[in-house]
Amino acid sequence: MNPIIKKPLSEIGYKFIPEQFIPKGEDEYYLRRKQNRSGITYRKLTHHEIDALIRNNNTSDNWEMIEVTDVFSTDLIQGCKFYGWVRIGNLEKYFLEFHAVKLRVGLYNSTIISCDFGDNVSIDNVHYLSHYIIGNECIITNVHEMGTTNYAKFGNGVLKQGEEEKIRIWLEVCNENAGRKIIPFNGMLPGDAWMWSRNRDNKVLQQKFLEFTEQKFDKLRGYYGKVGDRTVIKSVRIIKDVWIGSHAYIKGANKIKNVTINSNEQSSSQVGEGCELVNGIIGEGCRVFYGVKAVRFYLSSHSQLKYGARLINSYLGNNATISCCEVLNSLIFPAHEQHHNNSFLCAATVMGQSNIAAGATLGSNHNSRSADGELIAGRGFWPALSVSIKHNTKFASYTLLAKGDYPAELRIPIPFSLVSNNESKNQLQVMPAYWFLYNMYALARNAWKYADRDKRTDKTQHLDYSYLAPDTVNEIFEALKLLELLTGKAALKKENAAKHYSNALCIKKGKALLTSNDKTADALEIIADGFENSKRNTVLMKVRQSYHIFQELIAVYASEELLYYAKVNTIGNVILLSKKISKPGKRKAWVNVGGQLMEAAALSALQKKIVSGKIKSWNAVHEFYAQQSDLYATHKLQHALASYAELKGIKQFSKETITELFTQFLKTKEWMVKGIYDSRAKDYSNPFRSMVYENMNEQEEVTGVFAENSFILLQQQELKDVKKLVKAFLKNQHTR
């Protein structure tokens, strides 16, 4: 039976807050008075105005409860039914125009229950508008239902007075069994979501996160919904318990329930046709269009959901786009792209700068007896068309998966690798440093693209989009050790297959082969253990080449950080620079905290301070992020110097060391820029690409003139600039 309750007609618009939840000495409007900070001075209607309003086919249960300002015209209110306490701001004889739609200022043909209106609003044909505070110059037209309940939470996972724990909204991220669930709150940063989803064994830490969230909100019932200044809402079916910022645009949505939509003049958010959004938070500057379904979700600022996308039980980081696909139970860091049909992402932690292609099925198959598997992908994850992988799976940064149905769980610890499922040979193939060998253009352009598209106004968490950063360089060091070990094993096995060799001896043998650039290593079949949960072989490709590329990348990393340091501190020569950074420290572990890279020791210190009570709120956590962001350049430089010192086995950066480093850097940089040029040039010289065009002129009209490629020209100019800078730096030997 439907729970339809019959009450006296006189109660419409009143008793919004149940009596037991109204504090002593207050009335049901006490929170509304606090919420409405418009500064508008209202007055009672005159008898003449009441008569005029009645002639205009308006009704009220009590005209004494209608208040207006001195700038008021009864002609601008027609065909409305008022219930409860309604306050109306200035109404002047203007019309408001938005996207060629022109509507009179005023209130028309609407049922209005206990609402406040700012100045010069246009409210027309709103069938049911209840318990909202509307800002100045808003347009709300053709809305079926727009109301707020006394227990509204606006998408935040909190409880109100008298509510049971079982109704709390959680986001069940990273895992389908809810083992990593987190509570959403307005202002939640990607680092918050990631840190909360981890450390599940630390019960005190988990409890602190819950307490921090509870502290951000009170449990009081009776908050009204709000619509910020100059927001436009038109042709919407249902809006319930929604808080909407200023300058937002909502059109044609089917249903928006229990949601916060952040928006402002600089970063307007929009929700479009056919969308259904329930239990979520939308950051400023977001776009949600064309049939999107989102339930239990967090959409960070300047992100987009489009074209029928489904986002469920997931957190999507800033500057991300998801369209035409389904994402479930996932935690996605900033700068994620998944805009092709039929791609599926489930139970995943994707650490940003990722691109999911059409038909990719990531996490549909569980190899356990319950739906408790997970996928963890480092920065720059790129699975190709129609990839299928299984839980549990873990990828190092910038892993590229070739098209294929991967039959078993994967653990790929080498960054910048191409992973291929070679069915004809029944083996998994991994090519380290693939991007630098064959697709420098895509790698470099994406690092530039993500930085260029970062539209965040709140940059509490600093994001480094460079493919050479502390996280990837640490992975490179692990890869170098692994390549030495596996190469040595393969070489010693070829010499004597029956004998067992220690890891130390294998590393020594492999390092000797690879360091000397001995091409005999190319003839070895280098087998990796533990990359795939199967009995078939995992074969590493182009190990010798990738080993040397990885070493060069560490030098490039150190050079770029040194040059940046010298520029910021106006250090003009090698001698002065060597005195500033003569003693490198030890290379430290780093972590990716929601897209922000920080030293592992700093994260550990943060968590200890939370547990001990020294950090007492999410605001304090965010202050810690900001402090680490300010320190990032210094910590990154220290890491870069320590990395190069470890690679070369040096204890200080002398004039000679820096000179050698910068000289090699120029050579490597020239090779990298050439790789950017050559990898893109293939798209113009490949006959299978050009065959769809009648001639080169037509191809250039469609794809652009290769010689005018702005990104390549930018890279070439940057190379010229850095060569000029380094040569002048090395030439200048003055100490002042």
Side-chain angles (χ1 to χ4, degrees), residues 13 16-17 27-37 65 83-88 113-117 131-133 222-224:
F16 179 56
I17 308 175
D27 60 20
E28 65 168 300
Y29 304 114
Y30 79 104
L31 289 176
R32 173 177 169 181
R33 292 190 185 96
K34 292 179 181 178
Q35 282 185 275
N36 190 337
R37 296 185 290 271
M65 297 297 289
Y83 298 91
W85 186 27
V86 177
R87 298 188 291 184
I88 304 169
I113 303 172
S114 196
C115 292
D116 287 347
F117 298 94
H131 297 93
Y132 260 90
I133 299 172
Y223 284 101
Y224 281 39

Side-chain angles (χ1 to χ4, degrees), residues 342 542 611 660:
N342 300 323
K542 297 189 179 295
V611 169
E660 179 185 350

Side-chain angles (χ1 to χ4, degrees), residues 85-304:
W85 186 27
V86 177
R87 298 188 291 184
I88 304 169
N90 294 347
L91 293 181
E92 301 175 87
K93 292 185 177 181
Y94 297 114
F95 70 85
L96 303 180
E97 180 176 359
F98 183 79
H99 290 183
V101 173
K102 303 177 178 70
L103 293 172
R104 296 175 298 175
V105 162
L107 282 62
Y108 307 96
N109 307 308
S110 300
T111 297
I112 297 169
I113 303 172
S114 196
C115 292
D116 287 347
F117 298 94
D119 294 336
N120 293 318
V121 298
S122 180
I123 311 296
D124 190 2
N125 199 33
V126 181
H127 296 170
Y128 186 87
L129 177 56
S130 170
H131 297 93
Y132 260 90
I133 299 172
I134 311 297
N136 300 317
E137 298 181 0
C138 290
I139 297 174
I140 305 178
T141 180
N142 293 328
V143 175
H144 286 271
E145 177 186 341
M146 183 171 174
T148 307
T149 61
N150 70 77
Y151 48 83
K153 306 165 193 71
F154 310 112
N156 297 290
V158 294
L159 299 176
K160 292 297 181 177
Q161 293 164 310
E163 292 185 327
E164 298 180 8
E165 180 64 34
K166 65 181 181 181
I167 73 166
R168 188 192 295 274
I169 298 297
W170 294 80
L171 300 188
E172 297 173 2
V173 297
C174 307
N175 195 305
E176 288 181 89
N177 73 354
R180 297 193 184 276
K181 64 183 181 179
I182 61 178
I183 299 174
F185 60 89
N186 191 25
M188 187 180 219
L189 296 177
D192 305 335
W194 177 80
M195 190 163 50
W196 199 340
S197 73
R198 312 304 299 178
N199 311 291
R200 305 312 282 197
D201 57 329
N202 191 331
K203 302 299 184 184
V204 177
L205 184 65
Q206 294 293 316
Q207 181 61 30
K208 290 289 186 180
F209 291 148
L210 174 59
E211 291 172 6
F212 289 176
T213 305
E214 293 283 2
Q215 290 168 13
K216 290 184 70 68
F217 309 93
D218 60 48
K219 294 181 177 293
L220 301 176
R221 290 179 179 240
Y223 284 101
Y224 281 39
K226 294 191 75 172
V227 177
D229 295 344
R230 301 180 69 82
T231 280
V232 177
I233 303 172
K234 66 178 187 179
S235 303
V236 175
R237 292 183 61 197
I238 299 173
I239 295 177
K240 184 176 182 180
D241 291 351
V242 180
W243 188 100
I244 305 169
S246 66
H247 298 81
Y249 182 29
I250 302 174
K251 59 173 181 175
N254 290 338
K255 182 177 184 178
I256 308 176
K257 178 182 178 182
N258 190 31
V259 173
T260 287
I261 301 175
N262 290 285
S263 182
N264 55 61
E265 186 174 1
Q266 293 73 34
S267 302
S268 171
S269 290
Q270 299 181 18
V271 178
E273 295 84 351
C275 294
E276 296 171 11
L277 313 175
V278 179
N279 300 335
I281 294 172
I282 297 174
E284 66 271 12
C286 287
R287 301 289 185 270
V288 183
F289 288 148
Y290 310 127
V292 164
K293 315 297 180 189
V295 180
R296 295 188 181 229
F297 68 97
Y298 197 112
L299 185 63
S300 297
S301 67
H302 301 282
S303 290
Q304 301 183 75

